[in-house]
Amino acid sequence: MKKITIAIDGHSSCGKSTMAKDLAREVGYVYVDTGAMYRSVTLYALRHGLFHGDDIDQEALRRQLADIHISFRFNSETGRPDTYLNGELVEHDIRTMEVSSHVSPIATLGFVREAMVAQQQQMGKDKGVVMDGRDIGTVVFPDAELKVFVTASAEVRAQRRYDELKQKGMEADYADILKNVQERDYIDSHREVSPLKKADDALLLDNSQMTIAEQKEWLLARFRERTE
């Protein structure tokens, strides 16, 4: 069976990371969470005081970008990879609402995206990779053999995010999360650099009314169509 590159793009909190992780584990591919990479840069910027209100000290971030090292290590307990920032496990820290509310402005910066895309392309150069994000099928791997664009209503996505945070024992307010989802949709779709959009040859999946099991089955079927 030939190895392929799988690009899964879509809106925030639409479940694409869960789909991508499950597929990678099922077929023995490497999974790369590109959203976690931008969240890690955001966490670094927050910790180092690079946010001044809504403004980012871009020159300082540009200078320090070489000091930001992001890696993924497989967690045998969860069966999924965890995110590390400069050797520190930050999987929990990058999922907070504070990071969620600051990540879109970081992701609009051209020099940040350029650095992250270069890392992502290096990770996927040998194929056999599942990568999810906002611009995987349009910018990172425009020649990917399987592209999927995932969406769901903002209300459904906010509820999923709320349930996820509560399950992890974290504070959550549905109204705040819905506002954050809507704001991120607008920023992601309207930024000048690599805006969120469906690739012309991507398959569209609206999973508003689908269970995780149904999504998994759908994606696995598309994978088999491309590889067998």
Side-chain angles (χ1 to χ4, degrees):
M1 185 182 292
K2 67 177 181 179
K3 284 190 173 183
I4 65 172
T5 299
I6 302 168
I8 301 179
D9 291 308
H11 296 94
S12 65
S13 303
C14 64
K16 60 186 181 296
S17 293
T18 299
M19 291 177 64
K21 290 174 186 175
D22 286 346
L23 179 64
R25 182 171 53 187
E26 184 80 18
V27 303
Y29 275 26
V30 174
Y31 166 69
V32 179
D33 181 353
T34 65
M37 297 174 73
Y38 290 103
R39 284 176 173 272
S40 296
V41 175
T42 303
L43 180 63
Y44 179 94
L46 286 165
R47 287 179 170 180
H48 289 77
L50 302 185
F51 277 95
H52 305 292
D54 293 331
D55 296 323
I56 304 165
D57 188 338
Q58 295 188 29
E59 286 310 308
L61 180 58
R62 190 191 300 269
R63 289 195 305 270
Q64 296 177 45
L65 202 55
D67 299 325
I68 302 176
H69 303 288
I70 303 160
S71 58
F72 299 95
R73 301 179 196 171
F74 186 75
N75 184 325
S76 58
E77 292 185 6
T78 64
R80 293 175 173 179
D82 286 334
T83 310
Y84 285 76
L85 172 61
N86 293 336
E88 176 195 351
L89 175 62
V90 294
E91 188 63 35
H92 179 84
D93 299 321
I94 62 173
R95 309 296 175 183
T96 63
M97 275 302 295
E98 182 183 25
V99 170
S100 293
S101 62
H102 288 85
V103 65
S104 286
I106 287 286
T108 64
L109 299 175
F111 65 91
V112 173
R113 298 203 72 84
E114 184 178 338
M116 295 299 104
V117 167
Q119 290 186 36
Q120 292 154 17
Q121 290 174 331
Q122 183 64 26
M123 291 175 183
K125 64 182 176 62
D126 296 324
K127 296 188 179 292
V129 65
V130 184
M131 202 171 289
D132 74 279
R134 301 290 193 280
D135 60 353
I136 310 305
T138 54
V139 176
V140 183
F141 292 115
D143 297 325
E145 291 87 348
L146 175 57
K147 300 179 186 179
V148 178
F149 189 90
V150 190
T151 188
S153 71
E155 291 75 16
V156 166
R157 289 183 283 134
Q159 187 64 51
R160 288 174 179 169
R161 181 72 176 146
Y162 174 85
D163 293 342
E164 178 187 5
L165 291 172
K166 296 298 285 186
Q167 188 176 13
K168 293 179 178 179
M170 301 168 68
E171 288 296 318
D173 180 89
Y174 174 80
D176 289 342
I177 294 171
L178 178 59
K179 181 182 178 184
N180 175 250
V181 164
Q182 293 169 332
E183 288 176 346
R184 289 181 66 187
D185 282 354
Y186 183 84
I187 294 172
D188 290 344
S189 300
H190 289 79
R191 65 185 179 219
E192 291 184 14
V193 181
S194 302
L196 169 66
K197 63 180 180 180
K198 176 183 172 293
D200 291 339
D201 55 347
L203 303 174
L204 179 64
L205 175 64
D206 186 330
N207 64 12
S208 297
Q209 305 301 323
M210 294 176 73
T211 66
I212 291 177
E214 289 170 337
Q215 295 171 55
K216 182 177 179 179
E217 183 179 346
W218 182 92
L219 188 56
L220 193 56
R222 303 292 82 74
F223 169 78
R224 287 171 177 152
E225 289 172 0
R226 294 294 195 278
T227 57
E228 293 180 350

